[in-house]
Amino acid sequence: LGEVFCRFDADVDGAWSTAELQSFARTCNGGEEFGEAELSQVGEFTTNGQGRLTRRGFLEMMQLQTMARPEDTWADLRALGYD
């Protein structure tokens, strides 16, 4: 998951901007971006001072998803090239 985070951290600042988060979403969701509801949930995870999702926040997000819907995590990982 650390590798996945780094792949989408285009500006290498240790946090995902909305554009970087949406790039991740498009890759995992067949071109679909996150809606407003999903974007607003990002604040529930660890963010930096600008409200951007940190690596820790990404891991928290993926852990929550995996506990609730493991099949979605596996689908994301397959979309990212992992099997």
Side-chain angles (χ1 to χ4, degrees):
L1 291 175
E3 182 179 298
V4 170
F5 182 84
C6 290
R7 184 187 316 180
F8 291 94
D9 186 17
D11 59 7
V12 194
D13 68 349
W16 283 356
S17 65
T18 300
E20 292 165 333
L21 181 61
Q22 292 291 33
S23 179
F24 168 77
R26 285 190 303 274
T27 300
C28 293
N29 300 321
E32 295 290 322
E33 293 188 340
F34 289 140
E36 288 301 317
E38 287 112 344
L39 289 175
S40 69
Q41 292 174 346
V42 169
E44 297 175 17
F45 306 109
T46 302
T47 58
N48 68 7
Q50 291 83 32
R52 296 178 173 190
L53 188 68
T54 63
R55 178 182 171 139
R56 180 185 183 109
F58 172 69
L59 295 174
E60 293 166 354
M61 181 178 79
M62 294 303 292
Q63 180 181 18
L64 183 66
Q65 175 183 278
T66 302
M67 292 175 66
R69 297 178 318 280
E71 64 280 359
D72 288 354
T73 299
W74 285 113
D76 290 347
L77 290 172
R78 282 190 293 277
L80 293 162
Y82 298 94
D83 61 6

